[in-house]
Amino acid sequence: MPLLMCPNCDGAMQAVQRAGVEFDMCPRCRGVWLDRGELEKLMAFEREETQATFNAPGTAPRPCT
């Protein structure tokens, strides 16, 4: 029996790890539940990745078309 049940569809939640942050996801309804501070950690990771991409030598932002 899983530790957590989805509050949306009562499916069994699965632990998922992305960018060093572990959060809970329901494979049935694809709902994602984050604990306190996890959203901020994910946003900081994305911000750092974006800055690293645009600050890398030889890369320039593509113009919008």
Side-chain angles (χ1 to χ4, degrees):
M1 178 134 205
L3 290 175
L4 297 174
M5 301 304 287
C6 176
N8 187 45
C9 71
D10 208 31
M13 301 286 280
Q14 293 180 345
V16 178
Q17 187 157 354
R18 298 281 190 270
V21 177
E22 188 173 293
F23 54 91
D24 302 306
M25 185 188 90
C26 176
R28 188 191 295 174
C29 73
R30 311 278 296 164
V32 175
W33 282 263
L34 303 168
D35 293 333
R36 180 177 293 195
E38 291 176 337
L39 178 60
E40 290 79 7
K41 289 178 186 176
L42 289 170
M43 290 173 54
F45 175 79
E46 286 298 320
R47 188 170 30 255
E48 290 169 8
E49 286 291 307
T50 301
Q51 288 175 351
T53 300
F54 284 112
N55 291 336
T59 60
R62 292 183 285 163
C64 296
T65 57

